[in-house]
Amino acid sequence: MPDYSALVEFIVKKLVTRPDDVKVSSSTDDHGVIKIMISVPQEDIGRIIGKRGATINAIRLVTKASAVKSSERVDVDIEE
Amino acid sequence: MSDQETLILEVASVEEARSLAAVRWSLNPEDVIVKVIEEEKSFFGFLGRKLTVEVKPVAPLGLLKGKKVLSELLDYMELDVETLEQDSNSLNLSGEDAGIIIGKYGETIKSLEYLLNLMLRGMDLSMKLRLDSDGYRDRRVASLQRLALSAARKALKRDKPTYLEPMTSWERRVIHMTLKERNDVETRSVGEEPTRKVIVCPSLGRSKRNR
C-alpha cells in the first residue's frame, strides 16, 4: 500500500514557500480511516487550501485515488 | 525554444555533457540531446580531448520537468501508469491503472493536472501542461457535446435556463463552441472558479416571453 504521508509531503513541499517547515503525520481512527494531517507555517496555509479549497480538495482526491487499489479509506486535513 | 534552453559546454565526453545538463535542468540524462560542435585533440593524448558541445532538452523544458514531477508523484501513488510526451504541452498517461487516474467523471485527472501546474509554478515554470489518458480528452469532448445539445433541448422545452455542473475552462469552452452557431439558445459562464459553470438559455426574442 502507498505511503500516503510521503505522497502528501511530496506534493505540499512543492507548493509552499518554506518546504523545510512542512510536517505531515498519519494516524488511523476508530473506524479504520487513515487520517493524514498537514502542518505548514501560517503564511503557507493559503497555498495549501487554495481558492475556495481547490488545492486541498485536489490533494484529497489524488490521495484517495492512490488508496483505490488497497481499498483503504484515507482523508487529508490541515492542522490549524 | 528559447536560448535559455540551449547550453554550450566544454567537456571531456558526451556523457559528461549529458549529466551536467541533466543536473542543471533537473531532468533525466536521457531527456537531453548532445551535439558535438568542435573536437579539439590535445597534442598530449594522455590529457584527453576537449569537446565543445551544444546541449538541448529533447522537448520543451517545462514539459520534461512536468513529466519528471508527475512520474515521481505517480510512483508515490503506486499506480501502474507511464507518462509520455503527447505534444508540446500535454502528457499522456497510459497503463493498467489509467482508469484510476481518470477517476469518476475525470475528477482525478483534473485534480492531478491542477496540482501539477501549481507545483510547476512553484518551480518557476509558467508553462501550463495538460494531461490526457489514451484518448480520454477526445471521449470527454464527445460527451460534453452531447451534454450541450441535451441542455439546449431542455432549455427550449422548459423555456428557461439550464445550469450545467461546474466545469474546467476547457470543458466550458467545448459547451460554448458546440452551441455557438445556434440561434435559438445562448450560453454564458457564471460563478467563480472552481465552481464556474455554463448556463444554456433560450435566446431572447426567440419565442413569446412571459413578460
Side-chain angles (χ1 to χ4, degrees), chain A residues 7-76:
Chain A
L7 166 67
V8 170
E9 190 175 325
F10 174 77
I11 299 170
V12 171
K13 281 197 166 182
K14 287 197 157 43
L15 301 178
V16 297
T17 53
R18 290 166 59 185
D20 292 341
D21 295 328
V22 170
K23 287 191 183 60
V24 177
S25 63
S26 158
S27 60
T28 307
D29 74 7
D30 299 342
H31 307 284
V33 179
I34 302 166
K35 188 106 179 171
I36 307 296
M37 293 301 287
I38 305 169
S39 157
V40 295
Q42 191 63 36
E43 67 205 72
D44 274 330
I45 286 187
R47 287 191 173 77
I48 301 303
I49 297 175
K51 243 186 243 162
R52 288 160 201 262
T55 307
I56 186 66
N57 283 335
I59 295 174
R60 278 190 190 118
L61 273 170
V62 165
T63 310
K64 283 173 198 279
S66 74
V68 167
K69 275 165 83 177
S70 55
S71 1
E72 285 174 309
R73 283 177 298 162
V74 56
D75 200 10
V76 184

Side-chain angles (χ1 to χ4, degrees), chain B residues 11-96:
Chain B
V11 289
S13 70
V14 169
E15 289 69 39
E16 188 191 347
R18 199 179 281 283
S19 58
L20 279 175
V23 170
R24 163 86 73 103
W25 289 321
S26 37
L27 294 178
N28 297 319
E30 64 269 24
D31 286 337
V32 301
I33 307 170
V34 180
K35 195 173 109 195
V36 178
I37 305 172
E38 205 185 317
E39 183 169 359
E40 190 182 302
K41 287 215 175 68
S42 145
F43 284 117
F44 312 98
F46 60 89
L47 285 178
R49 50 186 193 153
K50 194 170 82 181
L51 298 176
T52 304
V53 297
E54 187 189 85
V55 195
K56 274 185 189 168
V58 293
L61 208 47
L63 188 69
L64 293 172
K65 288 201 178 179
K67 185 176 84 167
K68 190 160 182 263
V69 171
L70 187 61
S71 306
E72 284 177 278
L73 183 57
L74 294 167
D75 283 346
Y76 278 111
M77 293 176 79
E78 293 188 4
L79 292 180
D80 189 7
V81 280
E82 202 188 359
T83 313
L84 281 173
E85 299 97 296
Q86 182 160 273
D87 53 48
S88 66
N89 68 347
S90 76
L91 294 167
N92 186 47
L93 297 167
S94 171
E96 207 181 301

